[in-house]
């Protein structure tokens, strides 16, 4: 077996010189340096792709010697699922972004990050729907959903997908659109990286010369009232206004509440819409400023720490009611380290108006996505791991009392098919069927799918 793997990888190396890297090499180290430090996982080899043919060659080679495959895009999956113990298809070098002549869409390569996109679109006064952080892979984000500051106005990132070029498990290279390979196109919009390697997406663009956004930091003592007022404000906010919340613990153990409103409507309305956020409480720090769309993707950067062990859970809340506010504040009061944090994303407006069955994404009603995050440094310290895991689970249980079934597929943990099934709601049976059709041997097992 080992000989077969070695021979096959050797052939791949001859066929595509300079693409394959092995443990100990610099390009191997760069490709495996992802956001979350995976638990004791060492890929057999990394294959850095530049073209769809490279991807085909990697899939073919892995199939020949029965090696597990994984796909590395922006490297921001919380569970480190970009890596596996077999062959990693590394798309990091495929990061071009080409805007169409009419500026209505862009072709985005499979490994481009949101920061690669805004580097091209910001100077043109246009924007794609991204998540909130520049480092996240555009395709990984889009395939699972894509909650971001423009969700109320333009929907999820996946609602803006026009076409995808995909290398399938059997090596075929196909395009999926509303009219071509419709089932695949439907499944790609929510089913994650479970159907093939997406080498390029064509994504709708929107006129957006600027936004107004920033982060306001409130003392934790005011958390209850800040959250209550924020919930009131958000309930009556227009589609152009989204609000993200963060609950973080400083290195000295002091918790605080972060409020990040983003206004993407007419610039002259920004002040009227956003002034109210300063009176949510007594801000300790922060400003709200006019900026290019890409400027907003750096707001959370101080809280995005690379290379740590991460445990994460997700819930969907129907609203930020008093029970949830109590659960959130209590969770932060009982945080076990400064690595404990909770972030929320709104789902509203344009995203909620999309009919549930028109994409695989399973929940089309206003809600709040909650990310429960525990990160820590020492991976050999099991006690540390256990106490963070316990905190995440306790917080999840407390929030689950009023949660909707399922959770954001991009953030689900492996090994819970019931939860995955709930996440896709009535789209689950069709998703299972499309998986059978396009990847019957489960070559691409990324985020969990319904069973
Ligand atoms: C700091 C941080 C901030 C985040 N912010 C947001 C946010 O604002 N909104 C939101 O909705 N989500 C957010 N996420 C979650 C994010 O959308 C998912 O983790 C997503 O999977 C990351 O994609 P990636 O390409 O960066 O990750 P990777 O780890 O490279 O890939 C994760 C998986 O995605 C699939 N994949 C990636 N690229 C391809 C491709 N080209 N073809 C086929 N499959 C592919 C593969 O299955 C892969 O295993 C955030 C995550 C982090 C860590």
């Amino acid at each position: 077996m080992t000989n077969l793997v070695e021979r096959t990888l050797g052939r791949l190396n001859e066929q595509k010189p300079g693409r394959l890297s092995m443990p100990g090499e610099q390009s191997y180290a760069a490709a495996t340096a992802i956001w979350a430090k995976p638990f004791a996982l060492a890929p057999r080899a990394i294959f850095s792709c530049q073209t769809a043919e490279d991807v085909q060659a990697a899939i073919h080679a892995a199939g020949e010697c029965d090696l597990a495959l994984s796909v590395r895009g922006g490297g921001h999956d919380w569970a480190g699922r970009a890596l596996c113990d077999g062959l990693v298809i590394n798309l990091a070098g495929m990061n071009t972004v080409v805007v169409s002549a009419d500026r209505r869409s862009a072709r985005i390569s499979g490994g481009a990050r949101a920061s690669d996109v805004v580097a091209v679109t910001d100077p043109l006064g246009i924007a794609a729907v991204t998540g909130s952080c520049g480092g996240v892979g555009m395709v990984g984000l889009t395939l699972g959903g894509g909650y971001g500051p423009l969700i109320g106005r333009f929907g999820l990132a996946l609602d803006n997908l026009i076409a995808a070029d995909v290398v399938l498990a059997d090596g075929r290279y196909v395009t999926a659109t509303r009219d071509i390979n419709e089932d695949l196109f439907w499944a790609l919009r929510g089913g994650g990286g479970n159907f093939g390697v997406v080498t390029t997406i064509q994504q709708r663009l929107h006129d957006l010369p600027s936004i107004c956004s920033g982060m306001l930091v409130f003392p934790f003592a005011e958390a209850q009232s800040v959250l209550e007022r924020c919930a009131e404000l958000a309930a009556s906010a227009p589609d152009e206004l989204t609000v993200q919340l963060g609950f973080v613990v400083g290195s000295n153990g002091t918790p605080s509440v972060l409020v990040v409103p983003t206004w993407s409507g007419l610039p002259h309305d920004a002040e009227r819409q956003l002034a109210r956020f300063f009176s949510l409480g007594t801000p300790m720090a922060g400003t709200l400023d006019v900026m290019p769309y890409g400027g907003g993707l750096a707001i959370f950067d101080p809280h995005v720490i690379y290379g740590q062990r991460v445990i994460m859970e997700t819930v969907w809340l129907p609203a930020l009611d008093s029970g949830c506010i109590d659960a959130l504040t209590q969770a932060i009061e009982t945080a076990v380290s400064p690595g404990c944090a909770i972030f929320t994303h709104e789902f509203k407006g344009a995203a909620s108006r999309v009919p549930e069955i028109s994409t695989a994404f399973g929940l089309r009603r206003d809600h709040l996505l909650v990310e429960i995050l525990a990160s820590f440094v020492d991976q050999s310290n099991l006690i540390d791991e256990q106490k963070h895991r316990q905190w995440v689970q306790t917080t999840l249980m407390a929030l689950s009392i009023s949660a909707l079934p399922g959770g954001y597929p991009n953030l689900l943990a492996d090994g819970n098919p019931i939860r995955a099934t709930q996440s896709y709601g009535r789209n689950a049976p069709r998703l299972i069927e499309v998986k059978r059709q396009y990847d019957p041997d489960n070559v691409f097992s990324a985020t969990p799918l319904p069973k």
Side-chain angles (χ1 to χ4, degrees):
M1 173 63 187
T2 308
N3 281 343
L4 176 61
V5 171
E6 274 166 14
R7 276 201 310 274
T8 311
L9 292 181
R11 258 202 318 275
L12 182 63
N13 196 26
E14 280 166 22
Q15 189 191 345
K16 299 272 180 188
R19 301 271 198 270
L20 202 68
S21 52
M22 297 296 184
E25 294 177 14
Q26 208 180 346
S27 46
Y28 180 100
T32 50
I34 54 176
W35 178 71
K37 187 170 183 155
F39 189 69
L41 187 65
R44 187 69 192 252
I46 307 283
F47 190 69
S48 295
C49 299
Q50 293 294 339
T51 63
E53 290 75 36
D54 291 347
V55 175
Q56 287 174 308
I59 293 174
H60 184 71
E64 248 181 42
C65 60
D66 215 12
L67 259 188
L69 268 184
S70 65
V71 180
R72 186 214 197 273
H76 271 67
D77 176 57
W78 75 269
R81 288 171 283 210
L83 307 182
C84 67
D85 58 9
L87 184 62
V88 176
I89 296 182
N90 178 19
L91 303 177
M94 292 175 71
N95 61 353
T96 54
V97 177
V98 180
V99 173
S100 65
D102 65 4
R103 298 183 175 196
R104 293 279 147 246
S105 68
R107 288 185 62 78
I108 300 170
S109 295
R113 296 159 304 155
S115 55
D116 297 316
V117 176
V118 296
V120 174
T121 52
D122 271 2
L124 301 172
I126 50 182
V129 172
T130 67
S132 318
C133 294
V136 173
M138 267 306 284
V139 175
L141 171 103
T142 301
L143 297 178
Y147 291 68
L150 303 179
I151 194 163
R153 220 179 141 190
F154 302 125
L156 287 165
L158 63 76
D159 295 324
N160 292 273
L161 186 67
I162 299 171
D165 297 333
V166 192
V167 181
L168 301 173
D170 61 10
R172 275 181 301 145
Y173 184 41
V174 301
T175 295
T177 69
R178 236 172 247 291
D179 306 314
I180 309 166
N181 295 310
E182 303 95 303
D183 272 349
L184 178 61
F185 187 59
W186 177 86
L188 288 173
R189 288 173 296 157
N194 289 295
F195 299 88
V197 182
V198 176
T199 55
T200 312
I201 55 172
Q202 185 187 359
Q203 200 73 347
R204 195 166 297 123
L205 298 178
H206 306 275
D207 287 328
L208 193 62
S210 64
I211 56 167
C212 189
S213 188
M215 180 182 281
L216 301 178
V217 184
F218 292 93
F220 193 71
E222 294 181 356
Q224 192 90 18
S225 58
V226 167
L227 293 183
E228 281 166 8
R229 286 181 203 157
C230 214
E232 270 170 41
L233 259 179
S236 61
D239 290 352
E240 296 90 337
L241 179 60
T242 54
V243 186
Q244 262 194 278
L245 301 172
F247 307 86
V248 295
V249 183
S251 52
N252 60 358
T254 308
S256 54
V257 180
L258 315 177
V259 179
V260 180
T262 300
W263 173 250
S264 61
L266 294 171
H268 66 257
D269 284 336
E271 194 175 341
R272 184 172 57 86
Q273 290 291 343
L274 297 185
R276 302 172 285 174
F277 286 91
F278 288 97
S279 49
L280 290 173
T282 322
M284 299 189 293
T287 58
L288 301 177
D289 300 300
V290 176
M291 58 185 81
Y293 177 69
L297 303 192
I299 291 173
F300 282 100
D301 278 358
H303 300 280
V304 180
I305 298 162
Y306 281 72
Q308 295 203 312
R309 282 273 296 130
V310 175
I311 298 165
M312 202 162 181
E313 265 298 352
T314 165
V315 280
W316 278 329
L317 298 179
L320 191 59
D321 62 20
S322 58
C324 298
I325 293 174
D326 286 348
L328 289 167
T329 47
Q330 196 176 355
I332 293 302
E333 273 163 359
T334 55
V336 294
S337 84
C340 297
I342 299 176
F343 297 99
T344 69
H345 298 257
E346 283 185 296
F347 186 101
K348 59 184 266 189
S352 296
R353 291 191 287 271
V354 174
E356 197 174 296
I357 57 168
S358 64
T359 72
F361 192 85
L363 184 67
R364 292 292 183 171
R365 52 164 284 184
D366 288 6
H367 64 265
L368 203 65
L369 159 65
V370 180
E371 305 168 1
I372 307 161
L373 171 75
S375 47
F376 49 98
V377 179
D378 185 3
Q379 70 166 319
S380 61
N381 183 343
L382 280 182
I383 294 172
D384 215 23
E385 166 136 10
Q386 263 166 16
K387 77 178 187 194
H388 283 92
R389 194 174 293 283
Q390 182 67 44
W391 177 80
V392 169
Q393 284 309 316
T394 307
T395 306
L396 175 67
M397 294 303 286
L399 285 169
S400 294
I401 293 167
S402 40
L404 297 162
Y408 181 28
N410 261 346
L411 302 182
L412 285 179
D414 294 328
N416 193 341
I418 294 174
R419 210 137 173 250
T421 306
Q422 289 171 337
S423 300
Y424 289 101
R426 59 188 169 133
N427 290 332
R430 184 175 175 194
L431 200 58
I432 294 169
E433 192 42 51
V434 184
K435 175 73 175 173
R436 257 191 224 121
Q437 199 186 331
Y438 283 93
D439 184 17
D441 298 327
N442 200 24
V443 171
F444 301 105
S445 53
T447 45
L449 276 184
K451 291 253 168 0

